[in-house]
C-alpha cells in the first residue's frame, strides 16, 4: 500500500502563506486516480480541501477556493498544497491521501498548520 509523509506546516499569521508537501512511497502517484489534501480541526470531522486527478484536473472546497492550489510532481512522487491568504479557520492538521476510488485506510501523521497572530 502506498504511504504518505506530510510536511511543511507551521505557525503563520493571518494573511500568510505555507506550502505543504506530501511524499509518497510504496507506489507511484501517477497511477492513483486522484490524490487529495484533507484537514481535521480540533473537535471537527476530517474534510477534503482539494484534489488532483490523473489528468491534472483540480477541485477545491468552497472554503479554500481561490486561496489554495494543489499540484503534483510525478518525477519526485510528491503532491503539494500551496496555501495563500491563510485564515484562523484554516488551522488544522493537514493530511494527504488517495481520493478515488476511496482513501487508503492508513493515514500519515499529518502536518500541523496554525494560523494565529
Amino acid at each position: 500500500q502506498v504511504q504518505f509523509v506530510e510536511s511543511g506546516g507551521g505557525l503563520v499569521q493571518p494573511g500568510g502563506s505555507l506550502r505543504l508537501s506530501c511524499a509518497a512511497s510504496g507506489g507511484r502517484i501517477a497511477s492513483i486516480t486522484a490524490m487529495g489534501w484533507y484537514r481535521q480541526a480540533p473537535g471537527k470531522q476530517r474534510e477534503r480541501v482539494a484534489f488532483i486527478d490523473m489528468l491534472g484536473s483540480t477541485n477545491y472546497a468552497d472554503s479554500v477556493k481561490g486561496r489554495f492550489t494543489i499540484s503534483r510532481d510525478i518525477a519526485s512522487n510528491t503532491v503539494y498544497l500551496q496555501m495563500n491568504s491563510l485564515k484562523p479557520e484554516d488551522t488544522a492538521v493537514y493530511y494527504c491521501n488517495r481520493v478515488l476510488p476511496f482513501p487508503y485506510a492508513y493515514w500519515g501523521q499529518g502536518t500541523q498548520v496554525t494560523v494565529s497572530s
Side-chain angles (χ1 to χ4, degrees):
Q1 177 180 306
V2 183
Q3 296 189 346
F4 308 105
V5 177
E6 302 90 350
S7 63
L11 173 64
V12 63
Q13 292 186 342
S17 298
L18 284 173
R19 189 193 194 203
L20 306 184
S21 299
C22 166
S25 62
R28 303 298 302 174
I29 61 171
S31 64
I32 295 175
T33 304
M35 279 291 303
W37 282 95
Y38 301 76
R39 68 186 181 187
Q40 187 166 20
K44 294 188 177 181
Q45 288 191 330
R46 185 177 291 151
E47 63 171 343
R48 189 180 69 214
V49 296
F51 73 84
I52 183 167
D53 69 16
M54 294 181 77
L55 299 179
S57 297
T58 58
N59 182 276
Y60 300 92
D62 288 343
S63 59
V64 307
K65 200 171 294 183
R67 301 187 297 121
F68 290 11
T69 303
I70 187 171
S71 62
R72 61 181 181 173
D73 182 345
I74 299 298
S76 65
N77 216 26
T78 303
V79 180
Y80 300 98
L81 186 68
Q82 177 67 44
M83 306 187 297
N84 299 328
S85 302
L86 283 162
K87 304 175 181 179
E89 51 264 42
D90 295 318
T91 295
V93 179
Y94 284 71
Y95 305 86
C96 64
N97 204 330
R98 186 174 69 175
V99 171
L100 296 174
F102 46 80
Y104 291 116
Y106 171 82
W107 291 81
Q109 292 190 341
T111 186
Q112 175 71 48
V113 172
T114 302
V115 185
S116 175
S117 55

